[in-house]
Amino acid sequence: MASHRRPKPATRTRVTVLTATAAAAVALSAQAANATPAKPSVKDAKAKVDALYTQAEQATEKYDAANEKLHTLQKDASSLQDQVARQQQHLNQLRDGLGTIAASQYRSGGIDPSLQLFLSSNPDSYLDQATTLDQLGSLQANALEQLQNAKRTLDQERAEATTKLAELQSTRTELAQRKAEAKSKLSQAQQVLNSLTQAQRAQMQHDDALAASRASSRVNLGSAPAASKYAAAAFAAAQTRIGDPYVYGATGPSSFDCSGLTSWAYKQAGVSIPRTSQEQANAGTRIYSMSELRQGDLVIFFGDYHHVGLYAGNGMVLHAPKPGASVRYESIGDMTFEFGVRI
């Protein structure tokens, strides 16, 4: 017969070890939970902030494009609505005219022409009236054709207006999305900056100021010829805005985004160029060699063309660089160069 033995109870030593281990684990978990996260280094923070600012600028250029499209669509929709109203008025006039003709024929009666001729005391007078009635019938047919044509035109214009208004609403939605996206990226960048110590933020500002000063001295040392008198005038205008802040969607005169600065500068020179960097990339002759760039040429950066500046000479550009910064000089090598554009 098999014996049934009770399992040995855990020894006091073993219980004590397990209890101590569990207590230590709890203590370590509590310490980890209460530990203050380590401050990011200035280098890491700058990399994160720059990446977020780049994403914000990409959203900004898309916002600018949607905003330009919105203004165009608003004008087109308003014009189409005016056309619809005028065409409706024309159609109403044609309907009124056709109604008058029909009423006149009804009042003349529907007597058979041969009977009217037989009963007429003056056949010659009747024949004159009959000729008038034939002309009236022709006029009625012409009026009906005009009415049908006007109705087709009205239907077409209404359809175009409906499509344009739908596109307008879609663009408004896109505009709001791009604005929210840009603000979100800017907010995230600010959170990274807020996580730094005061000394770290001061170091970042000092580094930026030092880089801007060095860039400015490089421009002053170089004497680059301008691409044209218009390019020279545009560059001179942009120089007067050095120190003005970058603000998304801004076109001056005291704040700018990147394409806002370049379009404003050329406007001061009497030249109209498109609003966004992507459109400005196609606004003139492309120059793929940096050595062929001249002062005042547009310089397009990054594969999606989301950034633009003005070539300053000596390997430098003058631009509105990013959110949180101001209009300044910077080395062309600090960004991914795609090509220049000569206006």
Side-chain angles (χ1 to χ4, degrees):
M1 187 173 179
S3 62
H4 300 280
R5 297 180 181 178
R6 291 182 179 179
K8 290 183 179 181
T11 64
R12 182 176 298 177
T13 302
R14 185 181 178 191
V15 170
T16 302
V17 170
L18 289 173
T19 303
T21 302
V26 171
L28 288 173
S29 298
Q31 290 177 4
N34 296 325
T36 302
K39 295 286 184 182
S41 67
V42 172
K43 181 179 179 181
D44 290 343
K46 186 178 186 306
K48 289 181 181 178
V49 168
D50 286 347
L52 287 166
Y53 279 159
T54 295
Q55 293 169 27
E57 189 179 32
Q58 289 171 322
T60 296
E61 285 301 300
K62 292 176 182 177
Y63 168 89
D64 290 342
N67 200 27
E68 287 295 295
K69 184 179 180 181
L70 180 69
H71 292 158
T72 300
L73 287 172
Q74 285 173 329
K75 293 178 182 177
D76 292 346
S78 178
S79 177
L80 280 170
Q81 287 175 321
D82 289 343
Q83 290 179 28
V84 167
R86 287 194 298 268
Q87 189 64 22
Q88 182 66 65
Q89 185 178 10
H90 178 54
L91 184 66
N92 292 341
Q93 291 172 346
L94 290 174
R95 279 175 174 165
D96 291 343
L98 191 61
T100 301
I101 294 172
S104 176
Q105 288 186 335
Y106 177 78
R107 285 193 298 271
S108 69
I111 302 175
D112 184 81
S114 60
L115 183 59
Q116 290 188 13
L117 180 59
F118 177 76
L119 296 174
S120 175
S121 60
N122 188 346
D124 290 337
S125 176
Y126 171 78
L127 290 174
D128 290 339
Q129 293 176 14
T131 301
T132 302
L133 287 172
D134 287 341
Q135 292 174 350
L136 191 62
S138 176
L139 179 62
Q140 183 181 14
N142 182 55
L144 183 59
E145 183 180 359
Q146 289 184 34
L147 183 68
Q148 291 171 336
N149 291 338
K151 181 66 168 62
R152 280 194 294 268
T153 301
L154 179 62
D155 290 343
Q156 181 181 353
E157 289 179 349
R158 276 180 173 163
E160 290 177 5
T162 300
T163 301
K164 195 69 68 174
L165 288 171
E167 191 177 0
L168 181 64
Q169 184 57 46
S170 175
T171 302
R172 283 198 179 107
T173 301
E174 181 187 0
L175 190 68
Q177 290 174 343
R178 299 307 182 188
K179 185 175 183 178
E181 184 181 353
K183 293 180 76 171
S184 173
K185 298 303 180 183
L186 292 175
S187 177
Q188 292 176 48
Q190 189 59 52
Q191 290 175 10
V192 175
L193 292 173
N194 291 343
S195 70
L196 298 174
T197 65
Q198 185 175 354
Q200 287 176 316
R201 289 195 293 270
Q203 182 182 341
M204 286 184 67
Q205 292 174 353
H206 175 267
D207 292 345
D208 283 346
L210 183 60
S213 176
R214 288 173 176 170
S216 180
S217 65
R218 282 184 59 183
V219 173
N220 294 333
L221 288 173
S223 56
S228 68
K229 66 177 183 179
Y230 299 110
F235 182 74
Q239 283 182 303
T240 67
R241 308 326 305 168
I242 292 175
D244 286 348
Y246 179 106
V247 174
Y248 75 89
T251 57
S254 57
S255 60
F256 304 88
D257 60 22
C258 68
S259 55
L261 174 66
T262 50
S263 58
W264 178 88
Y266 266 95
K267 185 177 180 180
Q268 309 316 301
V271 179
S272 177
I273 64 174
R275 170 66 179 89
T276 67
S277 57
Q278 287 88 352
E279 292 174 316
Q280 289 177 15
N282 298 313
T285 303
R286 291 190 177 184
I287 303 167
Y288 290 95
S289 173
M290 288 188 193
S291 63
E292 296 178 10
L293 293 173
R294 297 292 179 265
Q295 194 175 81
D297 282 336
L298 299 178
V299 186
I300 306 297
F301 295 98
F302 305 108
D304 60 355
Y305 309 161
H306 75 260
H307 191 72
V308 62
L310 292 165
Y311 188 66
N314 203 25
M316 308 298 291
V317 290
L318 176 59
H319 66 154
K322 59 186 178 182
S326 57
V327 176
R328 68 190 186 195
Y329 295 109
E330 194 165 345
S331 172
I332 198 171
D334 288 350
M335 296 164 284
T336 305
F337 170 79
E338 292 295 323
F339 50 81
V341 176
R342 184 156 298 160
I343 302 300

